[in-house]
Amino acid sequence: MEVLKPVVHMMGSMLGPNTELVLHDLTNPDASVIAIANGHVSGRDVGSPILTGPKDDRAFSAALTSATHAAHSGHSVVDAYPTISPKGTPLRSATVVYRDAEGIPFAALCMNADLTVLKLAHAWLEQSIHGRPPSAAANEVQSDPPDMDALMDEIIQSAVQKFGKPVQFMSKDEKVHAVEEMLKRGLFIVKGAVGRAAAALHMSRFTIYNYLDEIRERDAK
Protein backbone atom coordinates (compact mmCIF):
# COMPACT_ATOMS: atom_id res chain seq x y z
CA MET A 1 0.00 0.00 0.00
CA GLU A 2 2.82 2.41 0.88
CA VAL A 3 4.53 1.61 -2.42
CA LEU A 4 1.40 2.52 -4.39
CA LYS A 5 0.71 5.86 -2.65
CA PRO A 6 3.36 7.91 -4.53
CA VAL A 7 2.31 6.25 -7.79
CA VAL A 8 -1.16 7.79 -7.35
CA HIS A 9 0.22 11.32 -7.12
CA MET A 10 2.75 10.84 -9.93
CA MET A 11 0.16 9.46 -12.36
CA GLY A 12 -2.39 12.09 -11.31
CA SER A 13 0.00 14.90 -12.21
CA MET A 14 0.83 13.33 -15.58
CA LEU A 15 -2.73 12.49 -16.64
CA GLY A 16 -4.10 15.97 -15.96
CA PRO A 17 -6.90 17.42 -13.82
CA ASN A 18 -9.74 15.52 -15.50
CA THR A 19 -8.49 12.07 -14.46
CA GLU A 20 -8.84 10.87 -10.88
CA LEU A 21 -6.54 8.25 -9.34
CA VAL A 22 -7.73 6.55 -6.16
CA LEU A 23 -6.08 3.95 -3.93
CA HIS A 24 -8.55 2.02 -1.76
CA ASP A 25 -7.93 -0.05 1.35
CA LEU A 26 -10.66 -2.65 0.86
CA THR A 27 -10.26 -3.88 4.43
CA ASN A 28 -11.57 -0.54 5.72
CA PRO A 29 -14.66 0.39 3.63
CA ASP A 30 -15.76 3.12 6.06
CA ALA A 31 -12.65 5.13 5.13
CA SER A 32 -11.23 3.22 2.19
CA VAL A 33 -9.56 6.10 0.30
CA ILE A 34 -5.95 6.26 1.50
CA ALA A 35 -4.49 8.18 -1.46
CA ILE A 36 -6.18 10.24 -4.17
CA ALA A 37 -5.21 12.63 -6.96
CA ASN A 38 -7.71 14.98 -8.63
CA GLY A 39 -10.41 14.03 -6.15
CA HIS A 40 -12.64 16.85 -7.44
CA VAL A 41 -13.71 14.46 -10.23
CA SER A 42 -15.81 12.45 -7.76
CA GLY A 43 -15.82 14.88 -4.83
CA ARG A 44 -13.74 12.61 -2.58
CA ASP A 45 -10.62 12.95 -0.47
CA VAL A 46 -8.50 10.80 1.84
CA GLY A 47 -10.75 9.07 4.36
CA SER A 48 -13.84 8.93 2.14
CA PRO A 49 -15.87 5.70 2.33
CA ILE A 50 -15.85 3.29 -0.58
CA LEU A 51 -19.55 3.79 -1.36
CA THR A 52 -18.97 7.44 -2.34
CA GLY A 53 -17.33 6.28 -5.57
CA PRO A 54 -18.79 6.19 -9.09
CA LYS A 55 -22.04 4.36 -9.69
CA ASP A 56 -22.19 1.16 -11.77
CA ASP A 57 -18.57 0.35 -10.90
CA ARG A 58 -17.95 -3.17 -12.24
CA ALA A 59 -14.73 -3.39 -10.26
CA PHE A 60 -16.75 -4.13 -7.12
CA SER A 61 -17.94 -7.36 -8.71
CA ALA A 62 -14.34 -8.24 -9.56
CA ALA A 63 -13.23 -7.52 -6.02
CA LEU A 64 -15.83 -9.85 -4.58
CA THR A 65 -15.49 -12.66 -7.12
CA SER A 66 -14.14 -15.80 -5.51
CA ALA A 67 -10.37 -16.08 -6.00
CA THR A 68 -10.57 -19.85 -5.72
CA HIS A 69 -11.80 -20.03 -9.31
CA ALA A 70 -8.85 -20.52 -11.66
CA ALA A 71 -9.93 -17.67 -13.92
CA HIS A 72 -9.96 -15.21 -11.02
CA SER A 73 -6.82 -16.13 -9.08
CA GLY A 74 -4.23 -13.42 -8.49
CA HIS A 75 -4.77 -9.73 -9.12
CA SER A 76 -7.70 -8.59 -11.29
CA VAL A 77 -7.60 -5.95 -14.03
CA VAL A 78 -10.96 -4.47 -14.98
CA ASP A 79 -10.43 -2.68 -18.30
CA ALA A 80 -12.07 0.60 -19.29
CA TYR A 81 -15.80 0.71 -18.58
CA PRO A 82 -18.40 3.49 -18.23
CA THR A 83 -19.42 4.78 -14.80
CA ILE A 84 -21.22 7.83 -13.41
CA SER A 85 -19.91 10.18 -10.74
CA PRO A 86 -22.05 10.88 -7.64
CA LYS A 87 -22.96 14.21 -9.31
CA GLY A 88 -24.13 12.45 -12.49
CA THR A 89 -21.06 13.18 -14.62
CA PRO A 90 -20.21 10.43 -17.16
CA LEU A 91 -16.84 8.84 -16.45
CA ARG A 92 -14.57 6.26 -18.01
CA SER A 93 -13.04 3.99 -15.38
CA ALA A 94 -10.50 1.20 -14.99
CA THR A 95 -9.40 -0.67 -11.89
CA VAL A 96 -6.76 -3.05 -10.60
CA VAL A 97 -7.86 -5.20 -7.65
CA TYR A 98 -4.95 -6.51 -5.57
CA ARG A 99 -5.19 -9.80 -3.65
CA ASP A 100 -3.08 -11.29 -0.92
CA ALA A 101 -1.48 -14.76 -0.97
CA GLU A 102 -4.81 -16.32 0.01
CA GLY A 103 -6.70 -14.59 -2.81
CA ILE A 104 -8.50 -12.08 -0.56
CA PRO A 105 -8.90 -8.57 -2.09
CA PHE A 106 -7.11 -5.98 0.07
CA ALA A 107 -6.57 -2.98 -2.21
CA ALA A 108 -7.84 -1.39 -5.42
CA LEU A 109 -6.23 1.23 -7.64
CA CYS A 110 -8.90 3.05 -9.65
CA MET A 111 -8.74 5.54 -12.52
CA ASN A 112 -11.79 7.67 -13.33
CA ALA A 113 -11.70 10.03 -16.32
CA ASP A 114 -14.22 12.87 -16.56
CA LEU A 115 -15.66 12.91 -20.10
CA THR A 116 -17.20 16.37 -19.75
CA VAL A 117 -14.37 18.07 -21.67
CA LEU A 118 -14.75 15.60 -24.55
CA LYS A 119 -18.50 16.20 -24.64
CA LEU A 120 -17.99 19.97 -24.69
CA ALA A 121 -15.47 19.57 -27.50
CA HIS A 122 -18.00 17.45 -29.40
CA ALA A 123 -20.67 20.12 -28.90
CA TRP A 124 -18.27 22.81 -30.14
CA LEU A 125 -17.46 20.77 -33.25
CA GLU A 126 -21.16 20.23 -33.94
CA GLN A 127 -21.75 23.95 -33.66
CA SER A 128 -18.82 24.70 -35.96
CA ILE A 129 -19.88 22.16 -38.57
CA HIS A 130 -23.68 22.30 -38.41
CA GLY A 131 -24.35 25.67 -36.78
CA ARG A 132 -26.02 24.08 -33.75
CA PRO A 133 -25.63 26.04 -30.50
CA PRO A 134 -24.00 24.09 -27.66
CA SER A 135 -26.23 23.26 -24.72
CA ALA A 136 -25.57 25.28 -21.58
CA ALA A 137 -24.06 23.27 -18.74
CA ALA A 138 -26.26 23.28 -15.67
CA ASN A 139 -24.75 24.76 -12.53
CA GLU A 140 -24.26 22.10 -9.92
CA VAL A 141 -24.11 22.60 -6.19
CA GLN A 142 -21.77 20.19 -4.48
CA SER A 143 -23.14 18.92 -1.20
CA ASP A 144 -21.38 17.14 1.62
CA PRO A 145 -21.03 13.40 1.01
CA PRO A 146 -23.70 11.35 2.77
CA ASP A 147 -22.72 9.03 5.62
CA MET A 148 -22.28 5.29 5.17
CA ASP A 149 -25.73 4.35 6.49
CA ALA A 150 -27.43 6.77 4.09
CA LEU A 151 -25.37 5.47 1.17
CA MET A 152 -26.23 1.86 1.99
CA ASP A 153 -29.93 2.69 2.27
CA GLU A 154 -29.87 4.57 -1.05
CA ILE A 155 -28.21 1.66 -2.87
CA ILE A 156 -30.64 -0.90 -1.41
CA GLN A 157 -33.75 1.16 -2.04
CA SER A 158 -32.68 2.01 -5.59
CA ALA A 159 -32.21 -1.69 -6.39
CA VAL A 160 -35.42 -2.84 -4.69
CA GLN A 161 -37.64 -0.11 -6.17
CA LYS A 162 -36.40 -0.61 -9.73
CA PHE A 163 -39.28 -2.96 -10.58
CA GLY A 164 -41.98 -0.67 -9.17
CA LYS A 165 -43.70 -3.30 -7.07
CA PRO A 166 -43.80 -4.36 -3.41
CA VAL A 167 -41.07 -6.81 -2.41
CA GLN A 168 -43.59 -9.56 -1.66
CA PHE A 169 -44.68 -9.54 -5.31
CA MET A 170 -41.18 -9.68 -6.78
CA SER A 171 -40.13 -12.88 -8.53
CA LYS A 172 -36.89 -14.70 -7.75
CA ASP A 173 -35.31 -13.37 -10.97
CA GLU A 174 -36.21 -9.81 -9.96
CA LYS A 175 -34.71 -10.30 -6.51
CA VAL A 176 -31.54 -11.77 -8.00
CA HIS A 177 -31.32 -8.74 -10.28
CA ALA A 178 -31.76 -6.42 -7.27
CA VAL A 179 -28.94 -8.22 -5.45
CA GLU A 180 -26.77 -7.92 -8.57
CA GLU A 181 -27.39 -4.15 -8.69
CA MET A 182 -26.30 -3.90 -5.05
CA LEU A 183 -23.20 -5.95 -5.83
CA LYS A 184 -22.24 -3.71 -8.76
CA ARG A 185 -22.47 -0.62 -6.59
CA GLY A 186 -20.17 -2.13 -3.97
CA LEU A 187 -22.69 -2.66 -1.19
CA PHE A 188 -21.41 -6.05 -0.08
CA ILE A 189 -17.90 -4.81 0.60
CA VAL A 190 -19.34 -3.06 3.67
CA LYS A 191 -19.80 -5.02 6.89
CA GLY A 192 -23.45 -5.72 7.69
CA ALA A 193 -24.63 -5.14 4.13
CA VAL A 194 -25.88 -8.71 3.63
CA GLY A 195 -28.19 -8.40 6.64
CA ARG A 196 -29.58 -5.09 5.41
CA ALA A 197 -30.19 -6.44 1.93
CA ALA A 198 -31.87 -9.54 3.36
CA ALA A 199 -34.20 -7.43 5.49
CA ALA A 200 -35.11 -5.18 2.54
CA LEU A 201 -35.89 -8.18 0.30
CA HIS A 202 -37.70 -10.11 3.05
CA MET A 203 -35.37 -13.09 2.87
CA SER A 204 -32.62 -14.76 4.87
CA ARG A 205 -28.92 -13.90 4.78
CA PHE A 206 -28.34 -17.44 3.53
CA THR A 207 -30.50 -16.72 0.47
CA ILE A 208 -28.54 -13.54 -0.27
CA TYR A 209 -25.31 -15.53 -0.18
CA ASN A 210 -26.85 -18.10 -2.53
CA TYR A 211 -27.86 -15.34 -4.96
CA LEU A 212 -24.34 -13.88 -4.85
CA ASP A 213 -22.85 -17.30 -5.61
CA GLU A 214 -25.31 -17.71 -8.47
CA ILE A 215 -24.34 -14.32 -9.93
CA ARG A 216 -20.61 -15.03 -9.66
CA GLU A 217 -20.93 -18.48 -11.22
CA ARG A 218 -22.91 -17.03 -14.13
CA ASP A 219 -20.37 -14.22 -14.68
CA ALA A 220 -17.46 -16.68 -14.56
CA LYS A 221 -18.78 -18.65 -17.55
Side-chain angles (χ1 to χ4, degrees):
M1 301 286 275
E2 292 302 317
V3 169
L4 290 172
K5 282 183 179 180
V7 174
V8 170
H9 298 290
M10 180 272 292
M11 292 181 64
S13 65
M14 289 296 294
L15 292 170
N18 296 315
T19 302
E20 176 187 71
L21 271 295
V22 190
L23 179 61
H24 288 284
D25 177 359
L26 297 180
T27 68
N28 184 24
D30 288 349
S32 69
V33 177
I34 61 172
I36 188 167
N38 301 322
H40 59 274
V41 171
S42 66
R44 291 176 293 177
D45 51 25
V46 171
S48 292
I50 197 165
L51 295 186
T52 54
K55 299 178 181 179
D56 302 326
D57 196 331
R58 298 202 318 246
F60 288 127
S61 297
L64 294 175
T65 299
S66 174
T68 58
H69 192 283
H72 296 285
S73 61
H75 307 314
S76 302
V77 178
V78 187
D79 291 326
Y81 53 93
T83 56
I84 302 173
S85 79
K87 298 185 294 181
T89 305
L91 306 175
R92 192 76 173 167
S93 301
T95 300
V96 180
V97 177
Y98 296 94
R99 303 177 189 277
D100 62 20
E102 297 179 353
I104 305 300
F106 71 90
L109 180 61
C110 307
M111 178 184 296
N112 304 302
D114 185 348
L115 302 181
T116 302
V117 172
L118 292 177
K119 288 182 176 291
L120 289 174
H122 181 268
W124 181 84
L125 287 171
E126 268 204 343
Q127 181 190 23
S128 300
I129 296 170
H130 303 293
R132 298 172 183 169
S135 58
N139 292 325
E140 295 180 347
V141 178
Q142 184 168 344
S143 57
D144 293 332
D147 61 28
M148 183 65 76
D149 285 339
L151 285 165
M152 293 174 73
D153 288 341
E154 187 276 324
I155 290 172
I156 291 171
Q157 291 306 312
S158 175
V160 171
Q161 295 173 1
K162 185 173 182 179
F163 295 96
K165 61 173 72 172
V167 172
Q168 56 267 32
F169 296 122
M170 290 173 63
S171 66
K172 178 194 172 182
D173 286 345
E174 290 171 338
K175 290 184 177 181
V176 170
H177 185 79
V179 171
E180 185 174 12
E181 288 296 309
M182 299 176 199
L183 173 64
K184 288 179 178 178
R185 293 190 62 186
L187 180 73
F188 298 113
I189 288 177
V190 182
K191 184 178 180 180
V194 171
R196 288 193 183 212
L201 289 169
H202 299 177
M203 60 178 59
S204 67
R205 291 162 55 93
F206 180 76
T207 303
I208 294 290
Y209 283 120
N210 282 342
Y211 285 2
L212 288 170
D213 288 341
E214 183 179 323
I215 292 165
R216 291 163 185 155
E217 289 174 5
R218 181 197 64 203
D219 291 346
K221 293 180 180 178

